[in-house]
Amino acid sequence: MVHATDTDKPLDKLSVFVLSKILNSVAGEPKNLKRLRSGDLLIEVDRKSHAENLLLCTKFLDTPVDIQPHKSLNSCKGVVRSPEFAHVSEQEVIEQLEPQGVADARRINRKVNGQLVPTNTFILTFNLTELPKELKLTRWLLVTVDPY
């Protein structure tokens, strides 16, 4: 997401040709670009290096900009279940599975006789655009990831 920080220099006043040249010089040809009603730009790239280059930009021509990853389009959620999760905390799941793209974990609880009882099911948020089919918990244990 690209947002102009100076209200006197909005992004929607930039020529499409100038914008194209700026993007090509910074991050190559974007996969997709949309101008939002707010005047912000939603830019989709297909290479991590292009995204990293964009995030380093502070100006488009003479327009100061703030560039941040989109909050929901760059993540996905999945559900994992395993008896192996019986004695594992949410924080431990995040720490151990972070190299596989896990950014957040929330254990599902159920009510039994008015008491919340933890289950062996977690809702995981991935900092990936596509949900992985499985996660490797250990060298010998894989768990299937279902869409949330």
Side-chain angles (χ1 to χ4, degrees):
M1 294 288 304
V2 182
H3 173 74
T5 56
D6 185 347
T7 55
D8 294 333
K9 298 180 181 178
L11 290 170
D12 57 1
K13 300 294 182 200
L14 282 178
S15 154
V16 68
F17 302 113
V18 170
L19 189 56
S20 178
K21 286 179 183 177
I22 292 168
L23 291 173
N24 282 326
S25 68
V26 171
E29 185 71 28
K31 184 176 179 182
N32 197 0
L33 184 139
K34 290 181 184 173
R35 287 188 193 255
L36 305 178
R37 278 189 238 158
S38 64
D40 293 349
L41 300 174
L42 178 60
I43 302 171
E44 181 182 2
V45 294
D46 49 5
R47 291 201 174 109
K48 185 177 180 178
S49 62
H50 291 178
E52 290 167 349
N53 289 343
L54 267 176
L55 290 169
L56 294 174
C57 282
T58 57
K59 283 188 174 188
F60 275 15
L61 207 52
D62 64 341
T63 303
V65 295
D66 177 44
I67 302 177
Q68 298 292 324
H70 191 279
K71 290 183 184 354
S72 63
L73 294 176
N74 292 309
S75 65
C76 55
K77 289 189 176 195
V79 179
V80 292
R81 298 166 186 84
S82 175
E84 301 298 328
F85 288 137
H87 305 289
V88 176
S89 71
E90 292 173 346
Q91 189 59 38
E92 190 176 8
V93 169
I94 296 167
E95 289 170 3
Q96 295 300 314
L97 300 179
E98 185 179 27
Q100 297 178 69
V102 174
D104 192 33
R106 190 173 56 114
R107 182 187 294 273
I108 299 295
N109 295 309
R110 60 187 174 108
K111 261 192 178 175
V112 177
N113 298 326
Q115 301 255 356
L116 284 179
V117 177
T119 67
N120 297 332
T121 303
F122 281 85
I123 298 172
L124 303 179
T125 302
F126 294 88
N127 58 6
L128 307 167
T129 56
E130 291 185 29
L131 197 63
K133 291 183 182 359
E134 59 190 17
L135 289 174
K136 192 173 193 176
L137 299 184
T138 65
R139 290 171 65 185
W140 45 268
L141 181 62
L142 294 174
V143 292
T144 302
V145 180
D146 295 317
Y148 174 64

